[in-house]
Amino acid sequence: MTKDVIALTERMPDALSVLAGLLAGGPDLLVDTTGEGAVVQLCDDGGRPLVSVEVPLMIQVPGEAARLLGPGAEPSGDGPAWWVEARAAAGVPRAEELAGAFAARLTMLLGGRVWPPDAAGTVGAARPVDVSGITAVPAPAAAQPAVDMLTDKAAVVLQDRPVVPMTSWLSEALRATLESDRSLQIVTPPHCRLSLPTRALLESTNSRWVVQDERCGYYDGLTGAVLRWQDDAFSPDRGENGEAPVADAFTEIRPTGERQLIVSFRTQHRPTADLVLGGALEAAWQALTGGPPAGWGTSEPAGPPWSRRQLTELAYDRAPRPTWTVVVGTPARPAVATLRVNRTPDGVEEDITLTLGYGPDEEPALEVLPKLADELVTGHSLQTMLCQLREARRDLSAPPRFEHPPLPYAFALGPSEVREAGRDTGSRTPLDAAPVRLGSHARPGYYYPLGDGRTAESWAALERLMRHLRGAPPA
């Protein structure tokens, strides 16, 4: 299983320090770049990659390294740290040792620490790694450093880390596989978890989380279906009845009393010259946590501090293409959001999902949701909002075991959606609880309570509400 090695350095790596780290393999190996210079590769004498090094990322968000790498991974010192990720080629003897020696050399020069601390090659890193006779496998046809095996149907990525984040090269691999009509398949040992953004992107695409299991071989970490390698991809091992069994490991549920609050909402703005994005997300974060977001980025880890201005500039530069970002909070209140900005014929749309984690002795901030909905209607052009609760981990990562699906707690409509449904329809519903009016009397929105978010009855309430708003007859 491939193990990525990360150098968390105290000072910014420059070209000379990176080159010095790459010389851990001695002077006979070749240095090349790919991805418009974003990835530096250490290659054998045939030009085939042994180790790929991602461009350094400055981490200015407290707790971000520990969120993805576990306790003890925080950078040393009080200032920012630089995250430099090295990925060894799969199936190449001593390539992992070479990646570890690179990271260790970098921290020797710049201060900091290596993750994992026991990575191969970190002991005696001052001496070059013996690479005589090392030959790398040919580079994948997709030219993606993250891809370990490529077939006509799948791009397979091997990972072994506490949390699999949506790194820049993993997101690039996902983009490339989707464009080539392949499935991205991430293979991990059973102790690994997915970050919330990684899970969300896998669930929304033709991708799969493949978990190794000593009892059944492999299973899908999101559905539990037993898998096997067939026709150049991992796919469900279906029996004569056409169904795949569920792995025993997937059903080993361990109740913890932890919960998550999921607030998904959509806003739409006129494309004016003074438009600044991110206001709706910032308002929701402030209402639910008492403070603003801590950091953001186009991948994980989220390095820069939260900035609405920089978010807007990025979306403007990428338009009319969509912009996907991840936003993170502080360790005191785990919170992660994904924000997608789309340029549509009707304006600029923000599609946001904010998830917050709570321990057994913590209560989700449900009482602020009506007020938050009113603020979003009044000042941020809210279209729709759905609030859900689920039994899941406080740290927001996804284990390879069954987790109860989220249950609806409340729904909200903005003024434009109320106008489309009809004001009488929006204000009079078949639900037991009356809707709460939002915004002005002239252009109202409505907040609809759906229950306590603990039983499946809230799904029935949401279904009745949707049928009513769409003008469909009662079921």
Side-chain angles (χ1 to χ4, degrees):
M1 185 64 65
T2 299
K3 280 193 175 182
D4 301 332
V5 184
I6 298 163
L8 293 166
T9 68
E10 296 175 359
R11 300 191 299 278
M12 179 180 177
D14 56 15
L16 289 178
S17 59
V18 172
L19 181 60
L22 291 171
L23 289 176
D28 297 330
L29 297 180
L30 305 177
V31 178
D32 196 5
T33 61
T34 186
E36 300 182 351
V39 177
V40 179
Q41 294 181 327
L42 191 62
C43 306
D44 64 11
D45 54 10
R48 291 164 296 198
L50 297 167
V51 174
S52 300
V53 180
E54 185 79 353
V55 64
L57 174 66
M58 184 166 65
I59 304 296
Q60 303 177 71
V61 181
E64 184 65 355
R67 180 177 74 89
L68 301 175
L69 301 177
E74 277 300 288
S76 54
D78 297 329
W82 279 261
W83 176 297
V84 188
E85 189 154 342
R87 181 171 174 80
V92 181
R94 296 195 297 282
E96 185 179 331
E97 183 180 354
L98 190 57
F102 160 79
R105 277 198 170 195
L106 209 58
T107 56
M108 287 170 58
L109 292 170
L110 304 173
R113 62 185 60 180
V114 175
W115 183 92
D118 60 348
T122 55
V123 177
R127 300 187 304 273
V129 176
D130 181 9
V131 295
S132 58
I134 289 185
T135 301
V137 297
Q144 297 296 328
V147 174
D148 294 294
M149 183 170 66
L150 191 71
T151 73
D152 290 340
K153 293 184 178 181
V156 179
V157 175
L158 308 179
Q159 290 279 269
D160 185 358
R161 52 205 298 173
V163 176
V164 180
M166 187 49 61
T167 60
S168 57
W169 52 13
L170 187 57
S171 63
E172 179 63 17
L174 177 60
R175 182 199 60 78
T177 55
L178 294 177
E179 290 181 351
S180 62
D181 293 324
R182 291 181 172 93
S183 168
L184 179 67
Q185 302 194 334
I186 301 176
V187 182
T188 75
H191 60 260
C192 296
R193 292 170 276 125
L194 301 185
S195 74
L196 189 149
T198 301
R199 174 177 181 159
L201 287 175
L202 292 190
E203 288 180 326
S204 63
T205 59
N206 180 31
S207 304
R208 193 181 297 281
W209 180 16
V210 182
V211 181
Q212 295 176 326
D213 182 71
E214 60 182 11
R215 287 171 285 185
C216 68
Y218 300 94
Y219 70 92
D220 190 307
L222 298 177
T223 69
V226 174
L227 306 173
R228 67 182 176 95
W229 183 261
Q230 50 190 341
D231 298 327
D232 292 332
F234 286 100
S235 56
D237 188 11
R238 304 187 188 278
E240 295 181 358
N241 60 359
E243 297 182 358
V246 175
D248 291 338
F250 185 75
T251 61
E252 294 173 350
I253 306 172
R254 305 180 183 95
T256 63
E258 297 171 298
R259 287 189 291 172
Q260 294 175 4
L261 170 62
I262 307 165
V263 183
S264 304
F265 52 103
R266 185 165 44 93
T267 66
Q268 188 164 273
H269 313 277
R270 289 182 297 172
T272 59
D274 59 350
L275 174 64
V276 180
L277 300 171
L281 175 58
E282 188 171 274
W285 213 292
Q286 185 75 41
L288 294 168
T289 72
W296 74 293
T298 57
S299 60
E300 293 179 289
W306 168 248
S307 170
R308 292 179 58 192
R309 178 185 57 80
Q310 292 178 358
L311 168 67
T312 304
E313 291 173 352
L314 176 66
Y316 179 84
D317 290 342
R318 292 190 173 187
R321 294 173 298 159
T323 296
W324 180 91
T325 59
V326 58
V327 185
V328 300
T330 62
R333 168 56 61 223
V336 175
T338 56
L339 185 157
R340 185 179 180 89
V341 179
N342 289 296
R343 184 68 170 91
T344 72
D346 297 323
V348 180
E349 181 181 280
E350 293 179 284
D351 196 346
I352 301 163
T353 298
L354 168 60
T355 305
L356 304 101
Y358 299 88
D361 300 324
E362 298 174 312
E363 288 297 325
L366 304 177
E367 69 283 352
V368 307
L369 293 175
K371 184 178 179 181
L372 169 61
D374 185 70
E375 182 179 359
L376 295 178
V377 163
T378 303
H380 301 283
S381 305
L382 178 72
Q383 291 193 305
T384 61
M385 181 174 81
L386 176 63
C387 306
Q388 303 177 86
L389 288 166
R390 71 180 304 175
E391 297 178 22
R393 293 176 62 103
R394 182 183 187 271
D395 64 12
L396 307 181
S397 65
R401 291 187 296 276
F402 173 79
E403 289 188 316
H404 292 282
L407 294 170
Y409 178 80
F411 183 74
L413 282 183
S416 61
E417 303 294 315
V418 170
R419 184 172 62 251
E420 183 176 334
R423 185 162 178 170
D424 287 344
T425 299
S427 61
R428 299 186 181 95
T429 74
L431 302 180
D432 295 335
V436 178
R437 196 187 76 196
L438 309 172
S440 68
H441 180 76
R443 297 187 69 251
Y446 287 99
Y447 174 90
Y448 304 97
L450 300 173
D452 61 5
R454 293 181 178 273
T455 67
E457 293 177 0
S458 58
W459 274 118
L462 179 61
E463 182 180 359
R464 289 198 306 273
L465 176 63
M466 292 296 100
R467 292 181 63 86
H468 171 77
L469 294 175
R470 292 168 182 159

